[in-house]
Amino acid sequence: MARQLHELVVYSEDLHIISSQVFHDSVIHLICTEGGCGFRYNERLFTMSENDIAVISYPRLVTEIRCDKNCKCEYIAAPEKFLHKLLPPNNYSIQGGVSLFDNPIIKVDDLDAVRFRADLANIRNRIENADHLFYEELMGSLLQTMVYDLFDFHAKTNDNILTTDRVGYITSQFFTLIRGGRAKTHRAVSHYAEQLHVTPKYLSDTIKRVTGTSVSTHINNAATAIVLEYLKSNNLSVSQIADEMNFSSLSYFSRFCVKNIGMSPMKYRTAGARNKT
């Protein structure tokens, strides 16, 4: 059964569990409040001291977590897909994400540290308020405030983050295509490379280096989200969805679903109907 949003947004002070599987689809927003700590992220070692903030977009890449004896941390973990829906695509979200993947640490002053901890407290205090009639909107608003504060902190220490170099431009344009729904009918890397006037190898290498995830994974994740929306709506038959999304055959569509959803489209629909009863 799918977990609900109030189960997926997590507040914790236990640094040692940030790389656990439960957070693999989340983004960690962490502050060190006392002492020092460190971890290896994407094969690079990073250290944190009091008031340092870390934004970890791929917790599965975290290893070798260590904490000083007097270390204290706190963080919010939130689903990447939910956060993605909150923020309009803009230069900073792309370029800032590129920079934070390379170095997730943000140095802030005492005032900004207090502001960030207030953001965390506001989210922590409302996580369990799942009976709120507008819970997703409520949590979305609180998380969005936190993320924009993080953009502000990061921008103040990275004056050149908005410069448009080739890597940044290609990355930005690729995600613009993805967010525009291109994956509904186009799932070949070569299509995106052609649209961006680069070779498939260059696009693959660039996206992998910048995000830590393959270009095919980004495309398939976007396509899977579209498939799920179709399957949940029941407006189209499975065969019609396959045609609408330009799959070459129904059997290929079914294999795509098994690989990316974990079950065939018919089984997914049957399970969904059963959960509603």
Side-chain angles (χ1 to χ4, degrees):
M1 183 180 295
R3 296 167 67 205
Q4 300 300 306
L5 182 62
H6 71 278
E7 299 173 298
L8 295 171
V9 179
V10 176
Y11 170 85
S12 178
E13 298 176 356
D14 185 355
L15 182 65
H16 290 95
I17 65 171
I18 62 172
S19 61
S20 62
Q21 188 171 0
V22 71
F23 293 144
H24 279 194
D25 295 322
S26 298
V27 180
I28 304 290
H29 309 85
L30 163 78
I31 185 168
C32 178
T33 55
E34 286 185 32
C37 58
F39 52 85
R40 191 174 294 278
Y41 181 52
N42 195 27
E43 302 303 323
R44 295 178 58 198
L45 189 62
F46 295 94
T47 59
M48 299 178 67
S49 55
E50 185 175 346
N51 287 349
D52 285 351
I53 294 171
V55 180
I56 304 173
S57 299
Y58 302 94
R60 63 184 179 276
L61 300 180
V62 173
T63 59
E64 299 179 28
I65 300 168
R66 63 160 187 81
C67 295
D68 294 349
K69 197 171 185 179
N70 60 340
C71 175
K72 291 184 180 179
C73 295
E74 58 177 324
Y75 59 89
I76 290 288
E80 187 278 332
K81 288 183 178 179
F82 186 68
L83 293 171
H84 178 76
K85 291 190 297 183
L86 297 178
L87 301 173
N90 58 50
N91 243 5
Y92 202 89
S93 63
I94 295 293
Q95 298 292 79
V98 171
S99 177
L100 285 167
F101 180 70
D102 182 61
N103 180 2
I105 309 300
I106 307 174
K107 302 283 186 180
V108 300
D109 59 26
D110 291 344
L111 181 62
D112 283 345
V114 169
R115 184 176 296 138
F116 181 66
R117 294 191 70 184
D119 289 339
L120 297 185
N122 288 335
I123 297 167
R124 178 192 66 209
N125 292 337
R126 303 305 294 270
I127 288 175
E128 298 303 324
N129 196 188
D131 59 343
H132 195 291
L133 293 179
F134 302 95
Y135 182 75
E136 285 203 11
E137 291 82 358
L138 170 69
M139 294 305 297
S141 175
L142 295 173
L143 287 163
Q144 189 177 63
T145 297
M146 176 190 70
V147 171
Y148 276 119
D149 275 343
L150 287 167
F151 280 1
D152 175 61
F153 305 157
H154 190 245
K156 285 187 292 192
T157 55
N158 293 269
D159 293 336
N160 64 343
I161 194 64
L162 293 178
T163 59
T164 304
D165 58 15
R166 180 170 173 77
V167 169
Y169 174 78
I170 293 299
T171 303
S172 174
Q173 292 304 302
F174 170 72
F175 283 108
T176 296
L177 292 173
I178 289 294
R179 289 168 182 159
R182 187 66 63 103
K184 175 182 174 181
T185 54
H186 295 90
R187 290 169 291 278
V189 175
S190 58
H191 170 79
Y192 294 87
E194 182 179 342
Q195 295 298 305
L196 299 172
H197 308 291
V198 297
T199 66
K201 185 178 187 308
Y202 179 88
L203 180 61
S204 296
D205 290 347
T206 298
I207 298 302
K208 177 69 174 179
R209 185 170 71 252
V210 166
T211 69
T213 301
S214 73
V215 66
S216 295
T217 298
H218 287 295
I219 295 169
N220 286 337
N221 285 347
T224 299
I226 297 170
V227 168
L228 289 173
E229 288 301 313
Y230 275 128
L231 291 175
K232 289 173 184 175
S233 72
N234 284 316
N235 290 332
L236 298 176
S237 69
V238 169
S239 178
Q240 287 172 322
I241 296 171
D243 289 340
E244 187 77 10
M245 294 189 66
N246 200 30
F247 282 92
S248 58
S249 67
L250 183 57
S251 61
Y252 179 41
F253 176 56
S254 183
R255 289 197 300 274
F256 178 91
C257 290
V258 170
K259 180 179 179 181
N260 293 282
I261 301 174
M263 62 184 76
S264 70
M266 285 305 300
K267 187 173 181 180
Y268 181 87
R269 274 194 166 165
T270 301
R274 189 162 53 242
N275 289 335
K276 289 179 181 178
T277 59

